[in-house]
Amino acid sequence: MKLAGLLVLTLSISLLAQTPTPENYSGMYTFLQDGEFVQVSVEDAGRVTGFVSRYGDTESDRSSFLDQFFKQGKLDADKLTFTTETVHGVWFEFTGTVARGEGKTPADEAYHVLKGSLTDHRTTADKKVTSKSSEVTFKSFPQDPQ
């Protein structure tokens, strides 16, 4: 009986060691302009938090640096979605995928990439919402080796 228990324990440890660990897509990625970025943090059960840090481009905030935190975000397998909070009448929605990029190691740029559709929503002075979608690819910033 002891031998059978030891065998089961040994097999269990062996199987656990062979189970691939899921990719960790958390990190900082490029955004629309040089100097802008999106921070993505993947948490338990596919919940995603983070923010977009960008230059303001409306008359009231031109060239100011703005942080727009995620109102909601989710990662389901490789499908990523997030919506930012509204700041100065502007918010963003991203729907796409997260995948391995051309970088060879996490210390390289583009080790991971976010590819998909980014919709830029804007509320005009007369309270009308305009939306513009574009296909984007955001590359991960190099990470320091652990």
Side-chain angles (χ1 to χ4, degrees):
M1 195 62 144
K2 285 184 182 180
L3 184 58
L6 184 58
L7 184 58
V8 168
L9 179 62
T10 302
L11 285 173
S12 297
I13 291 171
S14 175
L15 287 173
L16 284 174
Q18 293 175 8
T19 303
T21 56
E23 287 279 336
N24 182 359
Y25 299 116
S26 296
M28 196 179 301
Y29 294 80
T30 58
F31 197 57
L32 298 174
Q33 296 182 55
D34 209 17
E36 297 181 333
F37 63 91
V38 58
Q39 173 67 46
V40 174
S41 298
V42 180
E43 300 178 359
D44 293 333
R47 181 171 178 259
V48 174
T49 59
F51 61 95
V52 167
S53 195
R54 66 178 188 89
Y55 294 110
D57 56 4
T58 64
E59 210 165 298
S60 65
D61 60 19
R62 193 163 319 280
S63 299
S64 298
F65 219 60
L66 306 173
D67 289 333
Q68 293 181 252
F69 289 89
F70 292 0
K71 183 176 3 180
Q72 59 189 32
K74 182 176 183 177
L75 179 66
D76 184 8
D78 68 340
K79 308 288 188 257
L80 176 68
T81 59
F82 65 78
T83 303
T84 68
E85 296 285 350
T86 303
V87 174
H88 298 179
V90 178
W91 73 99
F92 297 95
E93 285 182 274
F94 176 83
T95 302
T97 60
V98 60
R100 283 277 290 114
E102 61 203 32
K104 306 241 184 288
T105 71
D108 296 328
E109 181 182 58
Y111 184 69
H112 290 120
V113 292
L114 310 179
K115 291 179 96 171
S117 177
L118 182 73
T119 304
D120 178 337
H121 301 279
R122 294 174 182 262
T123 305
T124 62
D126 57 354
K127 306 291 185 214
K128 291 184 181 173
V129 175
T130 61
S131 300
K132 178 183 169 194
S133 293
S134 55
E135 293 302 307
V136 295
T137 300
F138 301 137
K139 299 176 182 180
S140 64
F141 286 12
Q143 295 181 4
D144 291 332
Q146 302 293 334

